[in-house]
Amino acid sequence: MKVITVEPGVAGSVRLEDRREPEVRPDQLLVQAMALGICGTDREIMAGSYGWAPDRNDRLVLGHESLGRVLKAPDSSNFAVGDHVVGIVRRPDPVPCRACGAGEWDMCLNGRYVERGIKSLDGYGAERFLLEPDYAVRVAPHLGMLGVLLEPASVLAKAWDHIYRIGQRTRSWQPKSALVTGAGPVGLLAALMATQRGLELHVLDRAEGGPKADLTRALGGTYHPRELPKDFAADIVVECTGAPQLVIDVLCGAGGRNGIVCLTGVSSGGRLLPFDSGNFNRSMVLQNDLVFGSVNANRSHYESGARALATADPAWLAGLLTRRVPLTDWREAFERRDGDIKVVVEFEPPGS
């Protein structure tokens, strides 16, 4: 079978290679890959700046945004042949820490977790892969290839879960509006979930128009190219870019009183920018504001993300998949092109 692999730490080492078919244990699912989503983490691993190979192996099977169709399933697994499934990315550490022991491996305390396609565990970039039922999540079959959006959706499901948990710090909290910064796939999925919660939606992105603006407006939201109106304030801000200057701008002025800012974008280090820490502290204290970071997801968030996708308009979700690249042309999926939102590698032809 065909497999996309990379040697972590070695730029330009990604390749498509042949490997033997996986040997299935009685307690595992055998899954036929349908699609693989591509994101910035994959490109970082390809550039040699991130990623770890499994023990006693120089190469890592790439890919953590999966979608597949079950070929074989244990009778006791609650899965059936033909089910569409997504594999959870992270696995708890072997100790386990207190968080992993509670099923919250996304909040791991000691960093000994592993992640498929990223850290010490082969990913889903293979024509067929194995999956433990405890780390498989069923996707609504009517979504078809759109089910590949579940992994990024799970990250936003966690962010929204924590936002609303934090909001309960006060009995009077009744959010009305949300600002999402960045209209990539993560930002647009955050926007979708904002509208599913009945919030007035605003999206800020550097694109002057095009599909990102259209997708925002299709949700009933207001699209802001490059800057926000003066004195703008939202009850909830979800930052999805990691762009350092935008993060500073969000921290210092986009949230309203008693506001909550959730940072989901990961910034690259090494760039120093002016930051008025005194004004930031004054504003945070006097307005009872709160900022927190959120990354990864546990099973409950995957299940929540699956429900969000299942109830969304499939035509709107389809607008996120701007390029579908067949496996034969897999290298093209890792190229950045104007107009891209989400790019996927298709392991099966559409309709198969």
Side-chain angles (χ1 to χ4, degrees):
M1 66 177 183
K2 299 296 184 183
V3 179
I4 302 172
T5 72
V6 66
E7 185 175 349
V10 180
S13 62
V14 66
R15 70 189 184 209
L16 185 68
E17 62 183 56
D18 289 309
R19 286 196 178 182
R20 289 183 296 180
E21 294 285 342
E23 297 182 7
V24 190
R25 297 198 314 260
D27 60 344
Q28 291 177 313
L29 304 175
L30 176 63
V31 180
Q32 169 67 48
M34 296 170 61
L36 183 73
I38 306 302
C39 77
T41 299
D42 300 308
R43 295 188 179 96
E44 284 187 60
I45 295 171
M46 289 178 60
S49 59
Y50 198 64
W52 296 261
D55 291 342
R56 297 181 295 279
N57 199 330
D58 293 333
R59 301 190 68 82
L60 170 74
V61 176
L62 197 59
H64 59 280
E65 297 185 9
S66 67
L67 174 67
R69 176 171 47 81
V70 175
L71 297 177
K72 293 182 180 179
D75 292 338
S76 60
S77 68
N78 294 319
F79 289 93
V81 172
D83 282 349
H84 289 189
V85 296
V86 164
I88 292 173
V89 176
R90 185 172 289 191
R91 302 292 189 273
D93 69 82
V95 176
C97 70
R98 184 172 68 254
C100 288
E104 296 178 333
W105 50 77
D106 56 311
M107 306 292 287
C108 182
L109 294 169
N110 60 25
R112 296 179 186 174
Y113 60 83
V114 295
E115 293 177 321
R116 292 199 63 161
I118 301 174
K119 183 183 179 185
S120 306
L121 202 61
D122 279 336
Y124 300 115
E127 289 187 288
R128 282 162 292 282
F129 57 84
L130 302 177
L131 193 55
E132 306 91 332
D134 286 347
Y135 297 98
V137 181
R138 189 180 287 103
V139 182
H142 79 266
L143 291 172
M145 286 289 181
L146 300 174
V148 76
L149 293 168
L150 179 51
E151 192 279 334
S154 73
V155 174
L156 276 309
K158 173 186 175 178
W160 280 108
D161 173 36
H162 285 201
I163 287 168
Y164 272 78
R165 288 172 184 258
I166 290 167
Q168 299 309 310
R169 61 185 172 152
T170 169
R171 294 189 299 274
S172 62
W173 190 66
Q174 295 181 345
K176 303 296 183 183
S177 60
L179 168 67
V180 175
T181 55
V186 172
L188 287 168
L189 287 168
L192 169 68
M193 294 181 190
T195 60
Q196 289 178 333
R197 287 160 174 78
L199 297 170
E200 174 190 300
L201 172 66
H202 296 264
V203 174
L204 172 67
D205 192 86
R206 62 186 178 183
E208 293 292 343
K212 294 179 177 181
D214 294 341
L215 287 163
T216 299
R217 294 178 184 126
L219 291 173
T222 300
Y223 183 83
H224 302 276
R226 296 190 177 272
E227 62 181 12
L228 295 167
K230 287 185 178 180
D231 301 323
F232 176 89
D235 299 317
I236 298 168
V237 180
V238 185
E239 207 298 304
C240 300
T241 70
Q245 185 60 62
L246 185 53
V247 171
I248 291 174
D249 293 344
V250 163
L251 294 180
C252 295
R257 289 185 176 274
N258 306 328
I260 297 175
V261 177
C262 174
L263 305 178
T264 68
V266 179
S267 305
S268 56
R271 183 183 177 192
L272 300 179
L273 295 172
F275 179 65
D276 188 342
S277 57
N279 185 58
F280 168 71
N281 177 76
R282 179 181 178 84
S283 175
M284 290 287 292
V285 172
L286 294 182
Q287 296 193 156
N288 291 299
D289 290 341
L290 188 144
V291 178
F292 77 101
S294 181
V295 70
N296 204 265
N298 63 45
R299 185 178 184 88
S300 69
H301 304 128
Y302 275 83
E303 292 170 346
S304 178
R307 290 191 295 271
L309 295 180
T311 56
D313 178 4
W316 185 87
L317 291 174
L320 302 186
L321 301 189
T322 46
R323 275 199 298 134
R324 304 184 182 195
V325 179
L327 182 60
T328 52
D329 300 323
W330 64 275
R331 284 190 182 276
E332 295 181 8
F334 295 92
E335 299 172 359
R336 294 185 183 274
R337 297 186 182 179
D338 291 342
D340 280 347
I341 297 178
K342 171 57 69 177
V343 182
V344 299
V345 176
E346 291 187 331
F347 281 77
E348 287 190 338
S352 63

